Amino acid sequence: MKRKLIIVWLLGVILVLLACTDTSTPETVKPEESPVVVKEEEPVRIGFSMDTLQEERWLKDRELFKKAVEDLGAEVEIVAANGDDALQISQAETLIQSGIDLLVIVPHNAAATAAIVHKAHLAGIQVVAYDRLVKNAELDMYISFDNEQVGKLQAEAITALVPKGNYVFIGGAITDNNAHLLKEGVFKVLQPYIERGDIHVVYDQWTKDWTPANAQANMDEAIRTTNGQIDAVIAANDATAGGAIQALKNHGLASQIPVAGQDADLAGVQRIVAGSQTMTVYKPIHMLTQKVAEIAVALAKGEIVTANEHVNNGKKEVPSVLLPPIAVNIDNLESTVMKDGFHTAEEVYGKGGE
Ligand code: GAL
């Protein structure tokens, strides 16, 4: 009897144990499973230090660059210094202290901004020069259009119309390395004509801060000092071309003298339609902003970026990307500037130029 009781008792214990044990999936009990916090990768932050928003094109650069960076899932903080070197330096310092991952800069003054590159590097931040080169600095990368080619396209277009005569060169800002590259391109094309005595450069002056007013004053001086004996004008961009053409107009010379510009500003394109300006050089800004955004975000994420061109900035051979500019006149205006939507037909023809 006793044995039977013990057996029944044992069976009972076994049954109870079995009931408590889950035989379905072997459970690996992990230590207290803290919910896995998937750390959202912080979006990289790009600082964009611009010289100015004075010219129409820079408004496009700002808008398109912001979109290109954000489309890549990154953030961008944009400041503009209105041509003030001290302000550009202090704005860049603020960006650097705010913990950006990379700085993109359009220098007002190619030399003065070397200090910004130095400060950024002290904070472990790389610097990419946008459109304009920073001179004499350990710059990490430079992305622009081929600015010497811009000058060549201008001079080729004008010498084709005026192979002999008196030329006026209205340069850009002496502080801007692009103005020097453009001038080199112009004079490389003019040189053989000058040596043959076919072309005389009767006036050649830089234009402070690229302003139309300073360009108009330069052109007034050129007209005065040559008694208006001028056969062609090459102006470094459409803003300065506009100033020069205003001076020509005031002296009753507009639309009689071929004038070259750059940037395909709306006013410049309208002057081409109206006939007071001969050509401009179109630089598809969306190509520049896309390229800089891709490279800046990649570098900010610590990725390696290779460049197959180098530009010497006086300190080093800076890895560079130089995009092709496009010469534009009345014949290809629609197939270039307007096809890209840089300006609409309504904008160009609506106002009917001048
Ligand atoms: C240059 C730029 C030109 C022109 C100019 C004035 O550096 O390449 O497109 O706009 O600045 O801002």
Side-chain angles (χ1 to χ4, degrees):
M1 183 57 178
K2 205 169 163 199
R3 194 183 283 144
K4 273 192 188 142
L5 277 176
I6 292 169
I7 291 168
V8 170
W9 182 78
L10 277 176
L11 279 176
V13 170
I14 291 166
L15 283 173
V16 169
L17 284 175
L18 280 176
C20 304
T21 316
D22 165 9
T23 54
S24 61
T25 53
E27 179 187 345
T28 53
V29 179
K30 299 193 192 84
E32 204 39 52
E33 264 196 26
S34 53
V36 178
V37 182
V38 182
K39 199 168 166 304
E40 275 296 307
E41 206 182 314
E42 293 288 310
V44 293
R45 285 186 58 234
I46 308 291
F48 189 25
S49 163
M50 303 184 75
D51 159 23
T52 178
L53 295 170
Q54 169 187 289
E55 278 83 24
E56 177 189 297
R57 69 149 290 179
W58 298 115
L59 299 169
K60 275 198 174 79
D61 293 271
R62 179 181 61 175
E63 180 206 325
L64 293 173
F65 184 67
K66 183 173 185 316
K67 184 171 180 322
V69 169
E70 290 170 352
D71 286 355
L72 292 166
E75 293 173 359
V76 60
E77 192 172 333
I78 305 176
V79 290
N82 301 321
D84 179 330
D85 293 331
L87 178 57
Q88 184 160 36
I89 291 170
S90 70
Q91 285 177 334
E93 279 171 344
T94 308
L95 285 173
I96 290 165
Q97 278 145 20
S98 76
I100 54 172
D101 298 293
L102 184 131
L103 179 65
V104 176
I105 183 167
V106 184
H108 171 251
N109 184 309
T113 42
I116 293 175
V117 177
H118 184 62
K119 287 178 198 276
H121 284 177
L122 288 177
I125 293 169
Q126 290 176 296
V127 182
V128 172
Y130 180 107
D131 196 72
R132 297 173 180 173
L133 191 64
V134 176
K135 299 278 286 190
N136 311 317
E138 289 289 343
L139 194 56
D140 299 285
M141 201 145 186
Y142 168 53
I143 306 158
S144 183
F145 290 90
D146 182 339
N147 292 287
E148 193 176 312
Q149 180 62 10
V150 170
K152 286 181 179 165
L153 292 174
Q154 291 182 315
E156 282 160 5
I158 300 298
T159 50
L161 296 169
V162 189
K164 289 185 176 180
N166 291 340
Y167 273 54
V168 166
F169 180 69
I170 303 289
I174 196 167
T175 51
D176 182 348
N177 189 63
N178 284 352
H180 296 261
L181 293 171
L182 179 145
K183 184 173 181 177
E184 274 166 43
V186 167
F187 280 84
K188 272 193 181 148
V189 171
L190 293 186
Q191 206 48 42
Y193 295 85
I194 293 170
E195 278 156 18
R196 281 198 303 271
D198 290 346
I199 286 177
H200 303 279
V201 179
V202 291
Y203 186 87
D204 167 3
Q205 196 44 267
W206 303 102
T207 303
K208 187 169 178 333
D209 288 334
W210 296 89
T211 67
N214 292 337
Q216 184 173 343
N218 281 344
M219 194 66 214
D220 278 333
E221 189 182 30
I223 293 168
R224 202 175 46 253
T225 53
T226 62
N227 286 329
Q229 299 308 303
I230 295 167
D231 302 296
V233 177
I234 297 179
N237 71 349
D238 290 339
T240 53
I245 289 166
Q246 187 55 52
L248 289 171
K249 202 173 179 181
N250 297 348
H251 291 84
L253 296 168
S255 304
Q256 295 167 32
I257 297 171
V259 177
Q262 173 196 190
D263 286 338
D265 284 2
L266 183 56
V269 167
Q270 288 171 335
R271 286 192 297 266
I272 289 174
V273 171
S276 61
Q277 185 170 326
T278 310
M279 65 86 67
T280 186
V281 178
Y282 169 47
K283 302 187 292 185
I285 303 293
H286 65 277
M287 287 170 64
L288 179 63
T289 52
Q290 191 56 40
K291 183 59 76 178
V292 178
E294 284 163 9
I295 289 173
V297 172
L299 289 174
K301 288 182 176 173
E303 293 164 20
I304 305 296
V305 171
T306 52
N308 42 29
E309 292 165 283
H310 290 78
V311 172
N312 190 300
N313 74 343
K315 180 96 176 185
K316 63 180 271 191
E317 293 292 331
V318 181
S320 303
V321 176
L322 299 179
L323 302 167
I326 302 162
V328 168
N329 60 23
I330 192 69
D331 302 327
N332 67 343
L333 195 50
E334 295 192 0
S335 61
T336 54
V337 171
M338 288 152 70
K339 182 168 137 290
D340 284 1
F342 198 75
H343 300 302
T344 65
E346 198 224 325
E347 284 170 339
V348 173
Y349 300 125
K351 296 196 183 72
E354 284 196 39

PDB file of all heavy atoms in Angstrom, residues 60-94:
ATOM      1  N   LYS A  60      20.288  81.627 -56.997  1.00  0.00           N
ATOM      2  CA  LYS A  60      20.065  80.275 -57.544  1.00  0.00           C
ATOM      3  C   LYS A  60      21.005  79.286 -56.852  1.00  0.00           C
ATOM      4  O   LYS A  60      20.600  78.187 -56.471  1.00  0.00           O
ATOM      5  CB  LYS A  60      20.364  80.274 -59.053  1.00  0.00           C
ATOM      6  CG  LYS A  60      19.200  80.710 -59.931  1.00  0.00           C
ATOM      7  CD  LYS A  60      19.433  80.253 -61.381  1.00  0.00           C
ATOM      8  CE  LYS A  60      18.222  80.532 -62.251  1.00  0.00           C
ATOM      9  NZ  LYS A  60      18.128  81.931 -62.683  1.00  0.00           N
ATOM     10  N   ASP A  61      22.268  79.666 -56.687  1.00  0.00           N
ATOM     11  CA  ASP A  61      23.229  78.769 -56.023  1.00  0.00           C
ATOM     12  C   ASP A  61      22.714  78.381 -54.644  1.00  0.00           C
ATOM     13  O   ASP A  61      22.743  77.211 -54.253  1.00  0.00           O
ATOM     14  CB  ASP A  61      24.596  79.459 -55.889  1.00  0.00           C
ATOM     15  CG  ASP A  61      25.283  79.703 -57.230  1.00  0.00           C
ATOM     16  OD1 ASP A  61      26.010  78.817 -57.677  1.00  0.00           O
ATOM     17  OD2 ASP A  61      25.060  80.760 -57.838  1.00  0.00           O
ATOM     18  N   ARG A  62      22.249  79.386 -53.899  1.00  0.00           N
ATOM     19  CA  ARG A  62      21.795  79.105 -52.534  1.00  0.00           C
ATOM     20  C   ARG A  62      20.614  78.135 -52.540  1.00  0.00           C
ATOM     21  O   ARG A  62      20.624  77.110 -51.844  1.00  0.00           O
ATOM     22  CB  ARG A  62      21.387  80.414 -51.839  1.00  0.00           C
ATOM     23  CG  ARG A  62      20.889  80.217 -50.421  1.00  0.00           C
ATOM     24  CD  ARG A  62      20.459  81.505 -49.757  1.00  0.00           C
ATOM     25  NE  ARG A  62      19.356  82.143 -50.461  1.00  0.00           N
ATOM     26  CZ  ARG A  62      18.758  83.244 -49.997  1.00  0.00           C
ATOM     27  NH1 ARG A  62      19.153  83.786 -48.856  1.00  0.00           N
ATOM     28  NH2 ARG A  62      17.758  83.805 -50.673  1.00  0.00           N
ATOM     29  N   GLU A  63      19.642  78.440 -53.360  1.00  0.00           N
ATOM     30  CA  GLU A  63      18.408  77.628 -53.401  1.00  0.00           C
ATOM     31  C   GLU A  63      18.704  76.200 -53.873  1.00  0.00           C
ATOM     32  O   GLU A  63      18.314  75.223 -53.229  1.00  0.00           O
ATOM     33  CB  GLU A  63      17.447  78.342 -54.349  1.00  0.00           C
ATOM     34  CG  GLU A  63      16.104  77.743 -54.586  1.00  0.00           C
ATOM     35  CD  GLU A  63      15.594  78.204 -55.985  1.00  0.00           C
ATOM     36  OE1 GLU A  63      15.888  79.370 -56.387  1.00  0.00           O
ATOM     37  OE2 GLU A  63      14.992  77.363 -56.678  1.00  0.00           O
ATOM     38  N   LEU A  64      19.472  76.071 -54.978  1.00  0.00           N
ATOM     39  CA  LEU A  64      19.718  74.745 -55.552  1.00  0.00           C
ATOM     40  C   LEU A  64      20.656  73.922 -54.670  1.00  0.00           C
ATOM     41  O   LEU A  64      20.508  72.705 -54.558  1.00  0.00           O
ATOM     42  CB  LEU A  64      20.291  74.892 -56.968  1.00  0.00           C
ATOM     43  CG  LEU A  64      19.344  75.478 -58.010  1.00  0.00           C
ATOM     44  CD1 LEU A  64      20.083  75.746 -59.326  1.00  0.00           C
ATOM     45  CD2 LEU A  64      18.153  74.550 -58.250  1.00  0.00           C
ATOM     46  N   PHE A  65      21.619  74.598 -54.010  1.00  0.00           N
ATOM     47  CA  PHE A  65      22.539  73.842 -53.141  1.00  0.00           C
ATOM     48  C   PHE A  65      21.792  73.298 -51.931  1.00  0.00           C
ATOM     49  O   PHE A  65      21.962  72.139 -51.538  1.00  0.00           O
ATOM     50  CB  PHE A  65      23.712  74.725 -52.696  1.00  0.00           C
ATOM     51  CG  PHE A  65      24.745  73.999 -51.882  1.00  0.00           C
ATOM     52  CD1 PHE A  65      25.519  72.999 -52.467  1.00  0.00           C
ATOM     53  CD2 PHE A  65      24.927  74.274 -50.540  1.00  0.00           C
ATOM     54  CE1 PHE A  65      26.468  72.303 -51.721  1.00  0.00           C
ATOM     55  CE2 PHE A  65      25.874  73.582 -49.788  1.00  0.00           C
ATOM     56  CZ  PHE A  65      26.652  72.594 -50.379  1.00  0.00           C
ATOM     57  N   LYS A  66      20.935  74.130 -51.367  1.00  0.00           N
ATOM     58  CA  LYS A  66      20.147  73.700 -50.185  1.00  0.00           C
ATOM     59  C   LYS A  66      19.344  72.452 -50.551  1.00  0.00           C
ATOM     60  O   LYS A  66      19.383  71.441 -49.849  1.00  0.00           O
ATOM     61  CB  LYS A  66      19.217  74.843 -49.756  1.00  0.00           C
ATOM     62  CG  LYS A  66      18.397  74.591 -48.512  1.00  0.00           C
ATOM     63  CD  LYS A  66      17.646  75.863 -48.097  1.00  0.00           C
ATOM     64  CE  LYS A  66      16.881  75.758 -46.784  1.00  0.00           C
ATOM     65  NZ  LYS A  66      16.118  74.541 -46.582  1.00  0.00           N
ATOM     66  N   LYS A  67      18.687  72.510 -51.701  1.00  0.00           N
ATOM     67  CA  LYS A  67      17.856  71.371 -52.125  1.00  0.00           C
ATOM     68  C   LYS A  67      18.725  70.129 -52.364  1.00  0.00           C
ATOM     69  O   LYS A  67      18.392  69.033 -51.902  1.00  0.00           O
ATOM     70  CB  LYS A  67      17.085  71.725 -53.409  1.00  0.00           C
ATOM     71  CG  LYS A  67      16.121  70.623 -53.839  1.00  0.00           C
ATOM     72  CD  LYS A  67      15.212  71.031 -54.967  1.00  0.00           C
ATOM     73  CE  LYS A  67      14.248  69.873 -55.354  1.00  0.00           C
ATOM     74  NZ  LYS A  67      14.884  68.541 -55.299  1.00  0.00           N
ATOM     75  N   ALA A  68      19.859  70.318 -53.027  1.00  0.00           N
ATOM     76  CA  ALA A  68      20.716  69.174 -53.355  1.00  0.00           C
ATOM     77  C   ALA A  68      21.239  68.494 -52.090  1.00  0.00           C
ATOM     78  O   ALA A  68      21.256  67.264 -51.989  1.00  0.00           O
ATOM     79  CB  ALA A  68      21.881  69.636 -54.226  1.00  0.00           C
ATOM     80  N   VAL A  69      21.618  69.297 -51.094  1.00  0.00           N
ATOM     81  CA  VAL A  69      22.139  68.723 -49.841  1.00  0.00           C
ATOM     82  C   VAL A  69      21.031  67.994 -49.089  1.00  0.00           C
ATOM     83  O   VAL A  69      21.196  66.869 -48.625  1.00  0.00           O
ATOM     84  CB  VAL A  69      22.760  69.829 -48.955  1.00  0.00           C
ATOM     85  CG1 VAL A  69      23.056  69.304 -47.550  1.00  0.00           C
ATOM     86  CG2 VAL A  69      24.031  70.380 -49.593  1.00  0.00           C
ATOM     87  N   GLU A  70      19.864  68.628 -49.014  1.00  0.00           N
ATOM     88  CA  GLU A  70      18.747  68.016 -48.275  1.00  0.00           C
ATOM     89  C   GLU A  70      18.241  66.764 -48.981  1.00  0.00           C
ATOM     90  O   GLU A  70      17.871  65.790 -48.338  1.00  0.00           O
ATOM     91  CB  GLU A  70      17.646  69.055 -48.048  1.00  0.00           C
ATOM     92  CG  GLU A  70      18.088  70.116 -47.031  1.00  0.00           C
ATOM     93  CD  GLU A  70      17.149  71.308 -46.923  1.00  0.00           C
ATOM     94  OE1 GLU A  70      16.206  71.407 -47.758  1.00  0.00           O
ATOM     95  OE2 GLU A  70      17.391  72.153 -46.027  1.00  0.00           O
ATOM     96  N   ASP A  71      18.302  66.752 -50.307  1.00  0.00           N
ATOM     97  CA  ASP A  71      17.897  65.545 -51.046  1.00  0.00           C
ATOM     98  C   ASP A  71      18.825  64.375 -50.735  1.00  0.00           C
ATOM     99  O   ASP A  71      18.462  63.217 -50.907  1.00  0.00           O
ATOM    100  CB  ASP A  71      17.910  65.815 -52.560  1.00  0.00           C
ATOM    101  CG  ASP A  71      16.716  66.675 -52.983  1.00  0.00           C
ATOM    102  OD1 ASP A  71      15.860  66.951 -52.107  1.00  0.00           O
ATOM    103  OD2 ASP A  71      16.680  67.119 -54.150  1.00  0.00           O
ATOM    104  N   LEU A  72      20.035  64.704 -50.251  1.00  0.00           N
ATOM    105  CA  LEU A  72      20.984  63.645 -49.876  1.00  0.00           C
ATOM    106  C   LEU A  72      20.855  63.284 -48.398  1.00  0.00           C
ATOM    107  O   LEU A  72      21.689  62.572 -47.844  1.00  0.00           O
ATOM    108  CB  LEU A  72      22.411  64.109 -50.180  1.00  0.00           C
ATOM    109  CG  LEU A  72      22.767  64.271 -51.659  1.00  0.00           C
ATOM    110  CD1 LEU A  72      24.068  65.054 -51.826  1.00  0.00           C
ATOM    111  CD2 LEU A  72      22.872  62.907 -52.337  1.00  0.00           C
ATOM    112  N   GLY A  73      19.809  63.831 -47.750  1.00  0.00           N
ATOM    113  CA  GLY A  73      19.550  63.467 -46.349  1.00  0.00           C
ATOM    114  C   GLY A  73      20.440  64.203 -45.361  1.00  0.00           C
ATOM    115  O   GLY A  73      20.553  63.807 -44.207  1.00  0.00           O
ATOM    116  N   ALA A  74      21.073  65.263 -45.824  1.00  0.00           N
ATOM    117  CA  ALA A  74      21.946  66.026 -44.933  1.00  0.00           C
ATOM    118  C   ALA A  74      21.314  67.380 -44.630  1.00  0.00           C
ATOM    119  O   ALA A  74      20.285  67.730 -45.204  1.00  0.00           O
ATOM    120  CB  ALA A  74      23.312  66.213 -45.587  1.00  0.00           C
ATOM    121  N   GLU A  75      21.929  68.103 -43.718  1.00  0.00           N
ATOM    122  CA  GLU A  75      21.419  69.430 -43.350  1.00  0.00           C
ATOM    123  C   GLU A  75      22.422  70.486 -43.813  1.00  0.00           C
ATOM    124  O   GLU A  75      23.622  70.202 -43.916  1.00  0.00           O
ATOM    125  CB  GLU A  75      21.237  69.523 -41.829  1.00  0.00           C
ATOM    126  CG  GLU A  75      20.137  68.603 -41.304  1.00  0.00           C
ATOM    127  CD  GLU A  75      20.092  68.599 -39.768  1.00  0.00           C
ATOM    128  OE1 GLU A  75      20.935  69.288 -39.139  1.00  0.00           O
ATOM    129  OE2 GLU A  75      19.235  67.882 -39.235  1.00  0.00           O
ATOM    130  N   VAL A  76      21.932  71.680 -44.088  1.00  0.00           N
ATOM    131  CA  VAL A  76      22.843  72.740 -44.514  1.00  0.00           C
ATOM    132  C   VAL A  76      22.471  74.053 -43.831  1.00  0.00           C
ATOM    133  O   VAL A  76      21.282  74.348 -43.658  1.00  0.00           O
ATOM    134  CB  VAL A  76      22.827  72.918 -46.050  1.00  0.00           C
ATOM    135  CG1 VAL A  76      21.438  73.294 -46.558  1.00  0.00           C
ATOM    136  CG2 VAL A  76      23.872  73.933 -46.494  1.00  0.00           C
ATOM    137  N   GLU A  77      23.508  74.777 -43.391  1.00  0.00           N
ATOM    138  CA  GLU A  77      23.287  76.088 -42.788  1.00  0.00           C
ATOM    139  C   GLU A  77      23.999  77.108 -43.665  1.00  0.00           C
ATOM    140  O   GLU A  77      25.187  76.964 -43.933  1.00  0.00           O
ATOM    141  CB  GLU A  77      23.820  76.135 -41.365  1.00  0.00           C
ATOM    142  CG  GLU A  77      23.340  77.368 -40.625  1.00  0.00           C
ATOM    143  CD  GLU A  77      23.703  77.316 -39.148  1.00  0.00           C
ATOM    144  OE1 GLU A  77      23.838  76.193 -38.614  1.00  0.00           O
ATOM    145  OE2 GLU A  77      23.876  78.396 -38.576  1.00  0.00           O
ATOM    146  N   ILE A  78      23.254  78.101 -44.150  1.00  0.00           N
ATOM    147  CA  ILE A  78      23.784  79.029 -45.152  1.00  0.00           C
ATOM    148  C   ILE A  78      23.893  80.438 -44.583  1.00  0.00           C
ATOM    149  O   ILE A  78      22.948  80.925 -43.950  1.00  0.00           O
ATOM    150  CB  ILE A  78      22.877  79.042 -46.398  1.00  0.00           C
ATOM    151  CG1 ILE A  78      22.696  77.621 -46.942  1.00  0.00           C
ATOM    152  CG2 ILE A  78      23.431  79.981 -47.462  1.00  0.00           C
ATOM    153  CD1 ILE A  78      21.741  77.493 -48.104  1.00  0.00           C
ATOM    154  N   VAL A  79      25.052  81.064 -44.772  1.00  0.00           N
ATOM    155  CA  VAL A  79      25.234  82.453 -44.376  1.00  0.00           C
ATOM    156  C   VAL A  79      25.851  83.208 -45.557  1.00  0.00           C
ATOM    157  O   VAL A  79      26.518  82.610 -46.402  1.00  0.00           O
ATOM    158  CB  VAL A  79      26.161  82.566 -43.140  1.00  0.00           C
ATOM    159  CG1 VAL A  79      25.465  82.036 -41.896  1.00  0.00           C
ATOM    160  CG2 VAL A  79      27.479  81.830 -43.365  1.00  0.00           C
ATOM    161  N   ALA A  80      25.586  84.527 -45.644  1.00  0.00           N
ATOM    162  CA  ALA A  80      26.164  85.354 -46.710  1.00  0.00           C
ATOM    163  C   ALA A  80      26.728  86.631 -46.101  1.00  0.00           C
ATOM    164  O   ALA A  80      26.109  87.199 -45.199  1.00  0.00           O
ATOM    165  CB  ALA A  80      25.111  85.673 -47.766  1.00  0.00           C
ATOM    166  N   ALA A  81      27.896  87.044 -46.592  1.00  0.00           N
ATOM    167  CA  ALA A  81      28.652  88.123 -45.940  1.00  0.00           C
ATOM    168  C   ALA A  81      28.594  89.450 -46.681  1.00  0.00           C
ATOM    169  O   ALA A  81      29.276  90.401 -46.259  1.00  0.00           O
ATOM    170  CB  ALA A  81      30.109  87.678 -45.791  1.00  0.00           C
ATOM    171  N   ASN A  82      27.793  89.527 -47.779  1.00  0.00           N
ATOM    172  CA  ASN A  82      27.663  90.802 -48.506  1.00  0.00           C
ATOM    173  C   ASN A  82      28.997  91.480 -48.783  1.00  0.00           C
ATOM    174  O   ASN A  82      29.156  92.695 -48.580  1.00  0.00           O
ATOM    175  CB  ASN A  82      26.735  91.742 -47.718  1.00  0.00           C
ATOM    176  CG  ASN A  82      25.387  91.077 -47.566  1.00  0.00           C
ATOM    177  OD1 ASN A  82      24.911  90.426 -48.506  1.00  0.00           O
ATOM    178  ND2 ASN A  82      24.824  91.130 -46.373  1.00  0.00           N
ATOM    179  N   GLY A  83      29.959  90.680 -49.198  1.00  0.00           N
ATOM    180  CA  GLY A  83      31.227  91.257 -49.652  1.00  0.00           C
ATOM    181  C   GLY A  83      32.117  91.776 -48.526  1.00  0.00           C
ATOM    182  O   GLY A  83      33.091  92.494 -48.775  1.00  0.00           O
ATOM    183  N   ASP A  84      31.784  91.453 -47.283  1.00  0.00           N
ATOM    184  CA  ASP A  84      32.541  91.947 -46.119  1.00  0.00           C
ATOM    185  C   ASP A  84      33.457  90.843 -45.594  1.00  0.00           C
ATOM    186  O   ASP A  84      32.994  89.852 -45.036  1.00  0.00           O
ATOM    187  CB  ASP A  84      31.526  92.370 -45.031  1.00  0.00           C
ATOM    188  CG  ASP A  84      32.198  92.870 -43.762  1.00  0.00           C
ATOM    189  OD1 ASP A  84      33.318  92.403 -43.459  1.00  0.00           O
ATOM    190  OD2 ASP A  84      31.585  93.694 -43.060  1.00  0.00           O
ATOM    191  N   ASP A  85      34.777  91.014 -45.773  1.00  0.00           N
ATOM    192  CA  ASP A  85      35.731  89.955 -45.385  1.00  0.00           C
ATOM    193  C   ASP A  85      35.644  89.608 -43.900  1.00  0.00           C
ATOM    194  O   ASP A  85      35.587  88.426 -43.522  1.00  0.00           O
ATOM    195  CB  ASP A  85      37.166  90.396 -45.717  1.00  0.00           C
ATOM    196  CG  ASP A  85      37.376  90.492 -47.218  1.00  0.00           C
ATOM    197  OD1 ASP A  85      36.696  89.755 -47.948  1.00  0.00           O
ATOM    198  OD2 ASP A  85      38.195  91.326 -47.649  1.00  0.00           O
ATOM    199  N   ALA A  86      35.620  90.627 -43.040  1.00  0.00           N
ATOM    200  CA  ALA A  86      35.599  90.363 -41.587  1.00  0.00           C
ATOM    201  C   ALA A  86      34.328  89.605 -41.210  1.00  0.00           C
ATOM    202  O   ALA A  86      34.370  88.652 -40.416  1.00  0.00           O
ATOM    203  CB  ALA A  86      35.667  91.700 -40.835  1.00  0.00           C
ATOM    204  N   LEU A  87      33.214  89.996 -41.848  1.00  0.00           N
ATOM    205  CA  LEU A  87      31.949  89.305 -41.548  1.00  0.00           C
ATOM    206  C   LEU A  87      32.018  87.855 -42.011  1.00  0.00           C
ATOM    207  O   LEU A  87      31.596  86.937 -41.305  1.00  0.00           O
ATOM    208  CB  LEU A  87      30.781  90.030 -42.227  1.00  0.00           C
ATOM    209  CG  LEU A  87      29.397  89.415 -42.050  1.00  0.00           C
ATOM    210  CD1 LEU A  87      29.026  89.280 -40.571  1.00  0.00           C
ATOM    211  CD2 LEU A  87      28.339  90.226 -42.810  1.00  0.00           C
ATOM    212  N   GLN A  88      32.616  87.629 -43.215  1.00  0.00           N
ATOM    213  CA  GLN A  88      32.686  86.244 -43.708  1.00  0.00           C
ATOM    214  C   GLN A  88      33.510  85.381 -42.749  1.00  0.00           C
ATOM    215  O   GLN A  88      33.141  84.243 -42.451  1.00  0.00           O
ATOM    216  CB  GLN A  88      33.274  86.180 -45.123  1.00  0.00           C
ATOM    217  CG  GLN A  88      33.260  84.758 -45.686  1.00  0.00           C
ATOM    218  CD  GLN A  88      33.360  84.647 -47.190  1.00  0.00           C
ATOM    219  OE1 GLN A  88      34.045  85.427 -47.838  1.00  0.00           O
ATOM    220  NE2 GLN A  88      32.684  83.657 -47.756  1.00  0.00           N
ATOM    221  N   ILE A  89      34.611  85.950 -42.243  1.00  0.00           N
ATOM    222  CA  ILE A  89      35.458  85.185 -41.314  1.00  0.00           C
ATOM    223  C   ILE A  89      34.696  84.893 -40.018  1.00  0.00           C
ATOM    224  O   ILE A  89      34.667  83.752 -39.535  1.00  0.00           O
ATOM    225  CB  ILE A  89      36.785  85.928 -41.066  1.00  0.00           C
ATOM    226  CG1 ILE A  89      37.634  85.909 -42.346  1.00  0.00           C
ATOM    227  CG2 ILE A  89      37.552  85.304 -39.894  1.00  0.00           C
ATOM    228  CD1 ILE A  89      38.866  86.802 -42.315  1.00  0.00           C
ATOM    229  N   SER A  90      33.995  85.882 -39.482  1.00  0.00           N
ATOM    230  CA  SER A  90      33.295  85.622 -38.202  1.00  0.00           C
ATOM    231  C   SER A  90      32.097  84.695 -38.421  1.00  0.00           C
ATOM    232  O   SER A  90      31.810  83.840 -37.585  1.00  0.00           O
ATOM    233  CB  SER A  90      32.847  86.936 -37.555  1.00  0.00           C
ATOM    234  OG  SER A  90      31.806  87.506 -38.317  1.00  0.00           O
ATOM    235  N   GLN A  91      31.422  84.820 -39.557  1.00  0.00           N
ATOM    236  CA  GLN A  91      30.319  83.887 -39.827  1.00  0.00           C
ATOM    237  C   GLN A  91      30.846  82.454 -39.922  1.00  0.00           C
ATOM    238  O   GLN A  91      30.235  81.515 -39.407  1.00  0.00           O
ATOM    239  CB  GLN A  91      29.630  84.263 -41.141  1.00  0.00           C
ATOM    240  CG  GLN A  91      28.737  85.474 -41.065  1.00  0.00           C
ATOM    241  CD  GLN A  91      28.145  85.831 -42.427  1.00  0.00           C
ATOM    242  OE1 GLN A  91      28.725  85.520 -43.482  1.00  0.00           O
ATOM    243  NE2 GLN A  91      26.985  86.478 -42.414  1.00  0.00           N
ATOM    244  N   ALA A  92      32.017  82.284 -40.556  1.00  0.00           N
ATOM    245  CA  ALA A  92      32.582  80.935 -40.700  1.00  0.00           C
ATOM    246  C   ALA A  92      32.989  80.385 -39.338  1.00  0.00           C
ATOM    247  O   ALA A  92      32.761  79.206 -39.040  1.00  0.00           O
ATOM    248  CB  ALA A  92      33.781  80.982 -41.647  1.00  0.00           C
ATOM    249  N   GLU A  93      33.537  81.255 -38.509  1.00  0.00           N
ATOM    250  CA  GLU A  93      33.920  80.821 -37.148  1.00  0.00           C
ATOM    251  C   GLU A  93      32.689  80.311 -36.395  1.00  0.00           C
ATOM    252  O   GLU A  93      32.733  79.276 -35.730  1.00  0.00           O
ATOM    253  CB  GLU A  93      34.558  81.985 -36.387  1.00  0.00           C
ATOM    254  CG  GLU A  93      36.026  82.208 -36.736  1.00  0.00           C
ATOM    255  CD  GLU A  93      36.585  83.508 -36.123  1.00  0.00           C
ATOM    256  OE1 GLU A  93      35.770  84.355 -35.701  1.00  0.00           O
ATOM    257  OE2 GLU A  93      37.815  83.644 -36.096  1.00  0.00           O
ATOM    258  N   THR A  94      31.576  81.028 -36.537  1.00  0.00           N
ATOM    259  CA  THR A  94      30.347  80.615 -35.851  1.00  0.00           C
ATOM    260  C   THR A  94      29.882  79.250 -36.359  1.00  0.00           C
ATOM    261  O   THR A  94      29.513  78.373 -35.569  1.00  0.00           O
ATOM    262  CB  THR A  94      29.241  81.675 -36.094  1.00  0.00           C
ATOM    263  OG1 THR A  94      29.773  82.950 -35.739  1.00  0.00           O
ATOM    264  CG2 THR A  94      27.987  81.372 -35.299  1.00  0.00           C
TER     265      THR A  94
END
